[in-house]
Amino acid sequence: MSNLLSNSSMTAEDCLKQSIQDLYVKLFDHSISEITCWSMTEGVVTVVLEDVTTLPERLLIEGGYQQTATLFRRELMQIFKKRLKSVF
């Protein structure tokens, strides 16, 4: 992340958003439409991802497998959180 900041005029928030977007695309081949970051307290940042439904999830939902799609989403987010923590 520091390389992104030193090589451009990106703010720390922009850099964080771009890093999150890059990781999500790398893992799931899907982009996030909106990423919002809030600094709640020193050292803690809350991140909200919008429109993160992947194609497999959408197909499960359209096929009537909402519960399976929910479980799939939960597992994807666990994977993403672990990878995100390892990056930051």
Side-chain angles (χ1 to χ4, degrees):
M1 186 165 97
S2 61
N3 287 342
L4 283 174
L5 277 175
S6 63
N7 295 332
S8 72
S9 61
M10 293 177 76
T11 65
E13 182 179 351
D14 290 338
C15 184
L16 177 61
K17 288 178 181 182
Q18 186 61 52
S19 296
I20 291 169
Q21 180 74 268
D22 292 347
L23 179 62
Y24 201 85
V25 169
K26 179 181 175 185
L27 290 175
F28 306 123
D29 196 29
H30 178 77
S31 61
I32 303 166
S33 68
E34 183 69 30
I35 301 172
T36 307
C37 302
W38 290 285
S39 180
M40 304 300 282
T41 60
E42 193 171 308
V44 176
V45 175
T46 299
V47 177
V48 177
L49 310 177
E50 297 180 36
D51 188 24
V52 294
T53 305
T54 62
L55 179 59
E57 290 172 278
R58 207 171 15 242
L59 292 173
L60 286 167
I61 292 167
E62 289 171 3
Y65 298 98
Q66 180 64 47
Q67 186 175 6
T68 303
T70 300
L71 293 172
F72 184 74
R73 155 70 37 206
R74 191 173 299 139
E75 293 299 319
L76 284 179
M77 287 298 99
Q78 288 302 317
I79 292 166
F80 185 67
K81 285 178 188 178
K82 287 179 185 176
R83 291 303 265 298
L84 192 59
K85 286 179 182 179
S86 72
V87 171
F88 297 100

